Amino acid sequence: MSTIDDAASDAARDAARDDAAARQRTPGQLTGSAIVVALVSAISGMLYGYDTGIISGALLQITKDFQIEENWKQFIAASILLGAVIGALTCSFLSERIGRKTTLLMLAVIFAVGALGCAVAPDPLLLSVGRLVLGFAVGGATQTAPMYVAELAPPKYRGRLVLCFQIAIGVGIVIATIVGASESVPWRWSIGAACVPALLMLGLLLRLPESPRWLVKHDDRDRAREVLARVRPENYDTDGELEEMAALAREEETANTRGWSGLRKAWVRPALILGCGIAIFTQLSGIEMIIYYSPTILTDNGFDESVALQVSVALGVTYLVAQLVGLSIIDKVGRRRLTLIMIPGAAVSLFVLGALFVTGNSGRDSVPFIITCLVLFMLFNAGGLQLMGWLTGSETYPLAVRPAGTAAQSAALWGTNLLITLTLLTLISGIGVGPSMWLYGLFNVAAWLFVYFRMPDLTGRSLEEIETKLAKGEFRPADFAR
């Protein structure tokens, strides 16, 4: 029996695909409920960007208030990432067991509690615990929110609504850098302010339904039909979509390759290597190093605090602009081609930046050059490799192992982020800023080689086509050449 037969019968898959394609062509407008679903996802993405980005500027104030050294700085910054690893893995299980909406309701409460806990923390240890709690919500949101939107959004608008999450991350980072650069907002207020959008997210979720796909999987087709009628425009073929969901649910129940054990199957392994490899390289490329620590690195090397914080704002804005531009052209240029074009620019930026520090050209006269290198790095990195981090998870894994695959990929991303954040300042103290930048430049070279040899171009390919190629062992770049 062929491996693709493990996933589903060809007849059921073809029928579901034909029905989905017909609905994709069906005109219709977004309902108010569908827009609110996208708004909830956007708020969770903004909280992700804000809660991870606010530490960049706040760390300067926290250092003065608590009189802490590099080890504590790293621990405070990294604690949110440890929580994110735990949250991503835990919420993969919870979203399947208790539902997407219920999981997001829980995460909204945790977002608010974590933000308030950080705001009133009397010492660095309890601040770190508060950020660990926040991290659980961040990791859980990255696992659950895009999936919730994808399962509720009309097929015609699914891609655009899911992308609201990724764009909102950039918005959150920009807001965090602006708040941090103001210098007039105490760090307790800036961190605690995140409870406001968290409570808004909670209020909106209370008005929203559960995912219809989750309801179908749990044999509640009547409620699923009611949900579809609520989030689809009038005269939409909700019965046809409901049948498709039921067919896919049956496929998952009868598949031999499914869940965490399915990730160990030989034919699934190339997807796991690609997804986790891309996730790891998005972090090894240096993006979080720049977002978290650029103000600290610059002030430690003689820059005025106000200049360092203004640079942080410029980097946040560049991140958002690069993401918007990248998302607008990615389907035209192609995922693989765009990534291969952009990575060398990021690598060269880090090599030049490292050379400025190694040669002693890091004083006031070199400020424009240093800022230019940082901005160019952010432009090339955010507009290329960073786009692939979450996108590959939604496209690469077979249907029956997709929740487990995306959870493993999220854990790999957050785990690598955690390792970098815990070691970066120690690394810089040991070998200096310049050699550290060179090391991350070499990571970008390794990322380019990984993409070149392992990442096929999935642009324009249906999920069924990708899964079929994977099952046949045709998952190298050459196998997807047109």
Side-chain angles (χ1 to χ4, degrees):
M1 184 172 62
S2 66
T3 54
I4 193 60
D5 288 336
D6 291 341
S9 69
D10 290 338
R13 185 181 298 281
D14 289 343
R17 185 169 63 247
D18 292 342
D19 290 343
R23 280 189 297 278
Q24 181 79 10
R25 296 189 295 269
T26 301
Q29 295 183 348
L30 283 172
T31 63
S33 295
I35 293 173
V36 174
V37 170
L39 181 59
V40 165
S41 176
I43 293 173
S44 67
M46 187 197 71
L47 284 167
Y48 162 13
Y50 185 87
D51 285 331
T52 55
I54 193 63
I55 198 63
S56 177
L59 203 55
L60 298 177
Q61 297 182 35
I62 292 169
T63 300
K64 295 176 183 177
D65 283 0
F66 291 149
Q67 297 295 307
I68 54 177
E69 301 297 333
E70 275 74 12
N71 288 339
W72 265 118
K73 293 180 191 178
Q74 292 175 156
F75 192 72
I76 291 171
S79 55
I80 197 171
L81 307 176
L82 176 59
V85 174
I86 299 171
L89 294 173
T90 303
C91 289
S92 170
F93 169 78
L94 289 177
S95 65
E96 289 294 311
R97 180 60 62 89
I98 65 176
R100 297 11 170 175
K101 175 189 173 179
T102 307
T103 302
L104 285 172
L105 281 169
M106 176 195 71
L107 292 174
V109 173
I110 294 175
F111 266 124
V113 170
L116 290 175
C118 290
V120 300
D123 55 52
L125 177 60
L126 288 180
L127 175 59
S128 299
V129 172
R131 283 180 59 77
L132 181 73
V133 173
L134 270 178
F136 183 95
V138 168
T142 62
Q143 170 65 28
T144 311
M147 179 168 53
Y148 181 62
V149 176
E151 293 181 355
L152 272 164
K156 180 179 178 182
Y157 298 99
R158 181 175 295 135
R160 276 169 280 184
L161 294 185
V162 171
L163 287 177
C164 289
F165 179 81
Q166 186 153 2
I167 294 171
I169 295 172
V171 173
I173 291 172
V174 170
I175 295 173
T177 56
I178 292 174
V179 171
S182 69
E183 299 185 76
S184 60
V185 181
W187 68 266
R188 295 183 184 277
W189 284 96
S190 62
I191 292 178
C195 70
V196 176
L199 292 175
L200 175 61
M201 174 181 167
L202 178 63
L204 292 173
L205 275 166
L206 291 173
R207 300 168 56 88
L208 290 175
E210 182 53 84
S211 158
R213 186 173 183 273
W214 185 85
L215 291 171
V216 168
K217 287 181 66 176
H218 289 77
D219 298 322
D220 197 346
R221 294 185 62 167
D222 290 337
R223 282 183 62 197
R225 182 178 286 105
E226 293 174 3
V227 171
L228 284 176
R230 178 178 170 184
V231 299
R232 296 293 183 265
E234 292 184 15
N235 302 320
Y236 192 88
D237 182 17
T238 54
D239 287 336
E241 185 169 1
L242 190 65
E243 287 302 318
E244 179 194 357
M245 291 179 183
L248 293 176
R250 287 192 295 271
E251 289 179 16
E252 289 190 33
E253 290 174 1
T254 58
N256 293 326
T257 301
R258 61 177 176 170
W260 286 94
S261 61
L263 294 178
R264 296 195 296 267
K265 297 288 186 179
W267 70 278
V268 178
R269 197 172 301 137
L272 183 65
I273 292 172
L274 174 63
C276 291
I278 289 292
I280 289 169
F281 277 117
T282 59
Q283 306 308 298
L284 289 180
S285 64
I287 185 75
E288 303 300 346
M289 165 188 71
I290 299 299
I291 290 176
Y292 293 161
Y293 289 135
S294 58
T296 300
I297 293 171
L298 294 175
T299 54
D300 287 350
N301 284 274
F303 282 67
D304 291 337
E305 189 171 303
S306 60
V307 173
L309 291 172
Q310 289 169 12
V311 171
S312 184
V313 173
L315 294 176
V317 172
T318 303
Y319 179 97
L320 178 58
V321 171
Q323 288 262 297
L324 290 171
V325 173
L327 288 170
S328 69
I329 66 174
I330 190 169
D331 287 326
K332 298 176 183 177
V333 178
R335 288 139 170 73
R336 172 181 160 84
R337 182 182 301 172
L338 179 64
T339 310
L340 291 175
I341 289 172
M342 299 296 274
I343 290 177
V348 170
S349 300
L350 289 179
F351 286 133
V352 173
L353 183 61
L356 289 173
F357 280 95
V358 167
T359 59
N361 294 301
S362 57
R364 292 184 179 274
D365 293 341
S366 299
V367 167
F369 301 105
I370 292 174
I371 294 175
T372 299
C373 287
L374 288 170
V375 170
L376 286 176
F377 165 79
M378 186 65 75
L379 179 68
F380 284 112
N381 189 274
L385 185 60
Q386 292 307 314
L387 294 174
M388 301 302 115
W390 302 115
L391 188 58
T392 52
S394 65
E395 295 182 329
T396 305
Y397 300 107
L399 174 68
V401 300
R402 195 164 295 148
T406 54
Q409 184 167 334
S410 295
L413 186 147
W414 290 116
T416 307
N417 195 335
L418 172 64
L419 177 63
I420 291 170
T421 309
L422 277 173
T423 59
L424 180 67
L425 294 181
T426 301
L427 177 69
I428 290 175
S429 297
I431 66 176
V433 175
S436 298
M437 296 299 168
W438 284 349
L439 176 61
Y440 280 92
L442 290 174
F443 286 148
N444 277 269
V445 174
W448 190 92
L449 292 172
F450 180 84
V451 170
Y452 183 82
F453 287 108
R454 299 290 310 200
M455 180 179 170
D457 193 350
L458 307 180
T459 307
R461 306 282 185 169
S462 70
L463 297 181
E464 291 81 8
E465 183 180 1
I466 293 170
E467 184 169 341
T468 300
K469 286 273 195 181
L470 184 64
K472 291 180 178 179
E474 300 173 353
F475 205 68
R476 292 283 182 173
D479 297 323
F480 283 78
R482 294 187 183 276

